[in-house]
Amino acid sequence: MRRTASRLALGLIAAAFLGGNAIACMVPSTQQAIDVIGLKSTLMVSALTCDQRSDYDTFMTRFQPHILSEQHMLDAYFRQAHGRFFHKYEDSYVTSLANVQSSAGIHEGSNFCDQSKTLFSKVLALNTQTQLDDFARQTPAIQPIVAVACGIVETSSFRRMERLAPKP
């Protein structure tokens, strides 16, 4: 629990400095896509850093249709938020996502690969896309963005932080 809180805090800090503005509110299907793509990115960074490519390949083979569907959901979100130039913003998000997760891994030091093995063992024990969605929601990846669920009212402090954050 403490590790999750520190990851969330690191993600919020990264969002303020790396990700730029808060993005538009997230409907549940978009939030699910963010969660799943965030998990996929975490696993990719882990696979490359800790030489776990075969585990990553197994994960991608098992869940490829679902991950592709979630990627299309993310594409649609960025298209709606940014119009015809959405690829620029989505590419920036994907790059920032990998960078913030890699930085977190560096921060964790030698524990990172041990935690990566544990994460892969949990993910590879999943069999259905519903299980994957639940796992991604319950084990959120570090994100370079601040995602606010639709219907949540932002405080003036949050809006001030958004205005002061560097633009992408």
Side-chain angles (χ1 to χ4, degrees):
M1 180 68 173
R2 185 176 190 160
R3 185 171 311 242
T4 300
S6 71
R7 283 184 177 204
L8 180 60
L10 182 61
L12 290 174
I13 290 168
F17 294 105
L18 296 175
N21 289 5
I23 56 179
C25 72
M26 291 283 163
V27 296
S29 59
T30 304
Q31 183 61 55
Q32 177 178 302
I34 292 279
D35 292 341
V36 170
I37 298 304
L39 175 61
K40 180 189 85 131
S41 179
T42 299
L43 294 172
M44 180 192 67
V45 168
S46 296
L48 294 173
T49 304
C50 304
D51 196 29
Q52 294 175 291
R53 288 176 182 89
S54 64
D55 289 338
Y56 181 77
D57 290 345
T58 301
F59 163 75
M60 287 301 295
T61 300
R62 183 176 301 162
F63 293 108
Q64 183 180 19
H66 183 56
I67 291 169
L68 187 58
S69 174
E70 296 299 338
Q71 183 63 53
H72 290 316
M73 182 65 68
L74 194 62
D75 295 344
Y77 170 77
F78 277 96
R79 186 177 294 112
Q80 180 184 15
H82 300 288
R84 67 182 190 181
F85 301 111
F86 77 97
H87 283 294
K88 172 185 166 189
Y89 294 94
E90 188 172 9
D91 290 347
S92 176
Y93 162 73
V94 170
T95 300
S96 295
L97 179 62
N99 287 342
V100 73
Q101 292 173 343
S102 181
S103 294
I106 291 168
H107 178 72
E108 290 177 21
S110 60
N111 292 329
F112 180 72
C113 287
D114 290 337
Q115 293 169 3
S116 173
K117 288 177 187 174
T118 302
L119 179 62
F120 267 112
S121 69
K122 290 178 181 178
V123 168
L124 294 178
L126 305 173
N127 294 310
T128 68
Q129 64 188 39
T130 301
Q131 290 174 332
L132 178 64
D133 293 341
D134 291 343
F135 183 83
R137 184 181 64 254
Q138 294 166 1
T139 313
I142 295 172
Q143 291 284 342
I145 56 174
V146 176
V148 178
C150 293
I152 294 177
V153 178
E154 298 174 1
T155 66
S156 60
S157 297
F158 183 86
R159 286 191 293 277
R160 185 170 48 255
M161 180 181 77
E162 179 183 15
R163 279 193 313 276
L164 296 174
K167 305 294 184 242

